[in-house]
Amino acid sequence: QVQLLESGGGSVQTGGSLRLSCAASEYTYYMGWFRQAPEKEREGVAAIRIDYSTTYADSVEGRFTIFRDNAKNTLYLQMNSLKPEDTAMYYCAADRRVEAGSALTRDRYNYWGQGTQVTVSS
């Protein structure tokens, strides 16, 4: 059972930046960030494979950067040019399977963190 612990959420103004971190208890093949705003579905934001191949949602392409430190089993999400619509609970997700579906779909991941809140004010 992989355990995930997120950190780094907070409140910023429009245009600001935040960096989220997610420490995994052991090796994972795929890791991703999802977010869920009130009364909305949880959506995939960005994902990264063990070989550093990345996938981004259109809504964050060019503003967010996902990266990982495999030696530390840690995932990051650098969020720049934040907008009020980025406000959500952000969840770290991970999986050890090589083939399990699309990178930004919930079914792709077996392990989830508890979430960290990001609030962007206008």
Side-chain angles (χ1 to χ4, degrees), residues 61-92:
E61 182 83 53
R63 300 188 298 121
F64 291 11
T65 302
I66 188 170
F67 56 103
R68 64 190 291 172
D69 184 333
N70 289 337
K72 296 181 179 179
N73 292 328
T74 301
L75 175 71
Y76 303 93
L77 184 69
Q78 177 65 43
M79 304 184 293
N80 298 329
S81 302
L82 283 161
K83 305 175 181 179
E85 51 263 44
D86 294 319
T87 296
M89 185 71 78
Y90 282 70
Y91 296 90
C92 174

Side-chain angles (χ1 to χ4, degrees), residues 14-47:
T14 297
S17 297
L18 283 173
R19 177 178 291 188
L20 306 182
S21 299
C22 172
S25 59
E26 54 190 278
Y27 161 86
T28 59
Y29 182 77
Y30 239 116
M31 299 188 80
W33 289 100
F34 285 70
R35 66 186 181 187
Q36 187 167 17
E39 301 182 358
K40 290 191 176 181
E41 295 286 320
R42 189 173 299 189
E43 62 175 357
V45 174

